[in-house]
Amino acid sequence: MFTMIWSGFGSSKSFFFLYTIVFTFFLKIRPSLQCPTAHGVGTDTSCLTFSFDHNLLGSRGGDDTLKLWDIRNFRKPVNVATDLSSFYTMTDCMFSPDNKMLITGISVRKDEGYGKLLFYDKDTFDKVSEIQVTNSSVVRCLWHPKLNQIVVGCANGQVKMYYHPDKSHKGAKLCLVKKKRKVKELEFVANQHVITPHTLRMYRNDSSIGTAYKKGLKDRMDPVKSRKPEAPLTEGTGGRVIEGGRTLSSYVSKMIAVNKFDDSNPREAILKHAKEAAENPYWIAPAYAKSQPTPIFQEVSDEEESDEPTTSKKQKLGT
C-alpha cells in the first residue's frame, strides 16, 4: 500500500486529495480522503507535510493560514494559525524531528519588515518561538532530522543555516573548527599635552612641540641615532683600503690577479733595477754612507783586456 497527496493549484477552489494505491491485478487509484475547501477560494496550497507518526497533516495556504489536520477526522482542521502572509506558491511548512512543533515562514514586502521563521506547538498550536531571518521573505525551510539543523531559503537569494552548539551534529559545525577570537580590550591612560607658550621658563615642560622638533633635528645629525649608512672610503684606514675591495685580503688578492709580472728569472728581475739603483741610491747606499768602507775592486790586467785568445785557446782553435 502506498499513500500519496495531491493538491489543487490555480483553480477557483483550494483543495487536496489523499490517495491510497492498492497494487492488484488491475491498478486502481481512487481518492481515500478529500477536502475541497482546505484553504480560501482562489488561493494556492503551497505545501503539505505529514507528521512522523503519519496521523497529522500540515498545510500552508495562500490565504495566510497554517492548518493542522487529523487524517482520522478529515472534515475540519484541528488547529489554524492566521495572519501568516505568504506571497509565494512554494512557501514551506514542516514538522520538527521530535514531532512536537510545526514550522513555517512568512513573507514581507520590500523594505517593510523582516521575514521570520515561526515555531508552533503541535498540540496547543501556540507560537513557541520565532527567528528574525532577514529583510526579505522566508520561502523554503528544512529541518534535517539527523543533523538537527534548520536550512532557510529567502526570496533575496540568501540561504541561512541555524544549529544548536550542543544538540546539532556535523553539518555547519564542521565549518566552525575555531572559535571566534575574543578581542582584547586595551586599557591605557592618555597623557594629554597642554601647550602653554607664555609660561615662565622655570615651569616650562621640556617635552614641548618646539623642543621635540629641535631634538629630532639634533638626532638626525647623529649618525648612530639616525642610522646613517656608511660613507665610501677616501683613504685606507683600519685594515681597509680603497682599491680592490673593502678588506686588505681582497686588495692583495686583486693585486696578485692583476699583476702579470713573470718572476721565473730572479736574476733578471733584480738586475732590472740596477741602473735605477746606481743613479738614485735611495735604500741601501744612504744607510751605509758613514759606516761603509771604500770598496776595493780587483784591477784588470792587460792580458785580460786584450782580445787575442791565449795559446791554449789558439791550439784548440787550430785543431
Side-chain angles (χ1 to χ4, degrees):
M1 181 180 291
F2 178 78
T3 305
M4 70 175 184
I5 304 173
W6 184 84
S7 58
F9 299 96
S11 60
S12 60
K13 297 182 179 180
S14 178
F15 57 90
F16 50 85
F17 301 100
L18 271 71
Y19 291 90
T20 302
I21 302 176
V22 180
F23 293 95
T24 58
F25 184 77
F26 295 101
L27 181 61
K28 296 180 180 181
I29 303 176
R30 294 180 181 178
S32 300
L33 300 172
Q34 59 180 349
C35 183
T37 58
H39 291 278
V41 177
T43 60
D44 298 328
T45 303
S46 59
C47 182
L48 296 171
T49 178
F50 269 112
S51 64
F52 287 91
D53 57 1
H54 303 288
N55 292 328
L56 299 177
L57 178 68
S59 65
R60 184 74 163 94
D63 56 349
D64 301 340
T65 59
L66 174 67
K67 296 183 179 182
L68 183 66
W69 306 82
D70 191 347
I71 298 176
R72 294 164 293 187
N73 186 9
F74 208 56
R75 295 181 180 179
K76 60 179 180 178
V78 179
N79 290 308
V80 180
T82 58
D83 297 332
L84 304 178
S85 58
S86 175
F87 303 152
Y88 299 90
T89 58
M90 66 283 296
T91 304
D92 283 338
C93 65
M94 186 179 183
F95 283 91
S96 62
D98 57 359
N99 207 32
K100 293 182 179 180
M101 290 184 292
L102 184 64
I103 65 173
T104 187
I106 60 174
S107 302
V108 293
R109 300 192 182 276
K110 187 177 181 180
D111 300 331
E112 292 186 2
Y114 287 86
K116 298 179 181 180
L117 186 67
L118 307 179
F119 298 79
Y120 288 90
D121 186 83
K122 184 191 68 171
D123 299 328
T124 62
F125 228 61
D126 296 333
K127 186 169 68 174
V128 179
S129 179
E130 66 178 24
I131 298 176
Q132 185 172 298
V133 181
T134 183
N135 58 349
S136 182
S137 301
V138 176
V139 182
R140 312 305 297 267
C141 59
L142 172 65
W143 195 330
H144 199 280
K146 291 185 178 180
L147 302 180
N148 197 17
Q149 298 175 13
I150 302 175
V151 184
V152 180
C154 306
N156 57 0
Q158 294 183 1
V159 177
K160 294 190 177 183
M161 180 173 286
Y162 297 92
Y163 68 96
H164 193 277
D166 299 327
K167 297 181 181 180
S168 298
H169 308 283
K170 297 182 179 181
K173 295 182 68 176
L174 297 177
C175 304
L176 304 175
V177 179
K178 295 183 179 179
K179 295 182 179 179
K180 186 178 180 180
R181 297 182 62 182
K182 295 182 180 179
V183 180
K184 296 182 180 179
E185 298 181 357
L186 300 177
E187 296 181 359
F188 63 94
V189 179
N191 295 325
Q192 297 182 356
H193 180 69
V194 180
I195 301 173
T196 54
H198 302 290
T199 309
L200 297 176
R201 187 178 295 275
M202 64 181 68
Y203 299 111
R204 289 181 183 177
N205 190 4
D206 294 337
S207 62
S208 61
I209 297 176
T211 307
Y213 177 73
K214 293 179 181 178
K215 185 179 179 182
L217 293 178
K218 186 177 180 181
D219 293 343
R220 189 173 182 82
M221 300 301 294
D222 189 356
V224 178
K225 292 183 179 180
S226 63
R227 298 181 181 179
K228 182 180 179 181
E230 191 173 354
L233 292 176
T234 57
E235 59 182 5
T237 55
R240 302 175 62 186
V241 293
I242 304 173
E243 298 85 358
R246 289 289 183 178
T247 60
L248 181 61
S249 60
S250 62
Y251 172 73
V252 172
S253 60
K254 184 176 180 181
M255 290 297 103
I256 292 174
V258 172
N259 188 9
K260 299 181 179 180
F261 177 71
D262 186 12
D263 56 350
S264 59
N265 191 352
R267 184 174 181 275
E268 183 180 352
I270 294 172
L271 292 178
K272 183 174 64 174
H273 304 283
K275 183 179 180 180
E276 183 181 358
E279 295 177 355
N280 186 19
Y282 179 77
W283 297 105
I284 299 176
Y288 297 98
K290 295 181 179 180
S291 60
Q292 185 70 16
T294 303
I296 301 172
F297 299 99
Q298 183 180 358
E299 296 180 0
V300 181
S301 61
D302 296 338
E303 295 179 358
E304 293 178 354
E305 291 180 356
S306 61
D307 296 329
E308 297 180 358
T310 57
T311 54
S312 58
K313 292 182 179 180
K314 288 180 179 181
Q315 292 178 358
K316 289 181 179 181
L317 291 172
T319 58

